[in-house]
Amino acid sequence: MEELKRVFIRTFGCQMNELDSGKMLRLLEGDGYVSTDQADDADVILINTCSVREKPEQKLRSMMGRMRVLKEERKDLVLGVAGCYAQQESGALLRSFPWLDLVMGPDAIPRLPGLLLDVQLSRQRVLATEQVDRQNYPFTNDLVVRGKKGVTAFVTIQKGCDSFCAFCIVPFTRGREASRPASEVVDEVRALADRGVAEVTLLGQNVNSYGLKRSSEPAFHELISRVAEVEGVERIRFTTSKPWDLHEGLVDLFRDEPKLCSYFHLPVQSGADSMLERMRRRHCREEYLTLVSSLRRARPDIALSTDIIVGFSGETEDEHEATMSLLTEVRYDFIYSLTYS
């Protein structure tokens, strides 16, 4: 009997990184691998990374030091770094860590089994950070469906971002925005529901812009309506959203669709218009507050959360106080507050 190959995957970052790690595992399971939660037992170690915040980068560099010891003990071990930080640093990671075998960006996930085979057969180090044009982006369909059963699941509806906010690296690490065909999204949700999933979270860098660049696809609120029609789905969530693409149809859906959960994460970043302009955000304070009022009229019990950046370049005391007054006015249920780095 052929000996099982073991893969250890460590994930740093957001829900999209978690979902990507699940896709990598499903791909490797199809290639004869089994998952292990012990790096010491693995034939392949993959570290899936984030570059939006500084702490995941620090965790990666700390972990790479420990991985060096394993590589010295086991020459046949394959060590790879994937995800946004891998895309950002690209070949610099191979130069920084001579014991690293594979560096791959998010767009290379569908090629993972072949990339590992290249490393194992050639014993050469592999760099795979080319980005796929959004017109030809190969969404990895039906991979999460084959995973472990549960009552909740993430479903990718979009990849990349076209916003280019001044503080954000996502358009450079995950590429330009591409919407997954609605039929594929609904088919995956139906397959998940058949396995007992009752709650789905639709994932994208800016779900509000879903379908806007593809005339053949529905708008985001129309996609949610289609998902709500799937038998077995009881709750629908989504993340994340840019305020300037929030369609009134989505606001109306909070009023009319009971399956849509009473929660909205709507990042504002700052309460000062001058700061929002420097951040290249396409909304102002008044427009944001108008959206909040509309959402609360549509769904009075809605829970709101947001992102706040403190100390962005050039922030004055008055601009900071404008943010503090916004928090008082909106009365968020919780916030993610980060010091700019």
Side-chain angles (χ1 to χ4, degrees), residues 19-20 22-30 109-110 138-148 154 180 188 192 195:
L19 186 60
D20 285 348
K23 291 176 180 178
M24 289 192 288
L25 180 57
R26 299 292 91 76
L27 282 166
L28 293 179
E29 286 174 340
I109 287 175
F139 285 95
T140 46
N141 301 324
D142 199 33
L143 289 176
V144 179
V145 176
R146 301 202 303 263
K148 296 179 181 178
F154 294 132
R180 186 182 181 190
E188 183 172 314
L192 288 166
R195 288 173 58 90

Side-chain angles (χ1 to χ4, degrees), residues 232-261:
V233 172
E234 299 177 13
R235 297 179 299 278
I236 301 170
R237 300 179 184 273
F238 59 84
T239 193
T240 186
S241 299
K242 303 292 192 300
W244 52 87
D245 284 328
L246 205 166
H247 193 281
E248 62 182 12
L250 181 56
V251 177
D252 292 342
L253 210 57
F254 274 100
R255 181 193 63 212
D256 301 330
E257 179 50 69
K259 291 185 178 181
L260 187 56
C261 292

Side-chain angles (χ1 to χ4, degrees), residues 297-310:
R297 283 194 301 271
R299 183 75 68 88
D301 68 342
I302 195 168
L304 295 176
S305 62
T306 198
D307 295 339
I308 298 291
I309 294 177
V310 179

Side-chain angles (χ1 to χ4, degrees), residues 221-236:
H221 64 280
E222 296 170 327
L223 176 67
I224 293 178
S225 294
R226 295 189 189 184
V227 170
E229 293 173 355
V230 175
E231 186 176 352
V233 172
E234 299 177 13
R235 297 179 299 278
I236 301 170

Side-chain angles (χ1 to χ4, degrees), residues 198-210:
E199 177 179 301
V200 293
T201 300
L202 307 179
L203 290 182
Q205 296 297 151
N206 180 16
V207 292
N208 288 339
S209 66
Y210 173 86

Side-chain angles (χ1 to χ4, degrees), residues 254-306:
F254 274 100
R255 181 193 63 212
D256 301 330
E257 179 50 69
K259 291 185 178 181
L260 187 56
C261 292
S262 295
Y263 169 67
F264 203 141
H265 182 67
L266 192 60
V268 67
Q269 308 299 357
S270 173
D273 286 345
S274 53
M275 280 282 289
L276 292 171
E277 185 175 356
R278 293 204 300 278
M279 290 176 168
R280 294 205 291 269
R281 302 286 286 178
R282 291 183 240 159
H283 65 90
C284 67
R285 177 187 177 114
E286 182 179 355
E287 291 168 340
Y288 185 90
L289 290 173
T290 297
L291 289 174
V292 168
S293 296
S294 298
L295 287 165
R296 283 187 166 143
R297 283 194 301 271
R299 183 75 68 88
D301 68 342
I302 195 168
L304 295 176
S305 62
T306 198

Side-chain angles (χ1 to χ4, degrees), residues 46-58:
L46 297 173
I47 309 171
N48 193 15
T49 61
C50 172
S51 62
V52 172
R53 300 173 185 173
E54 188 174 21
K55 193 168 185 179
E57 297 181 15
Q58 296 170 343

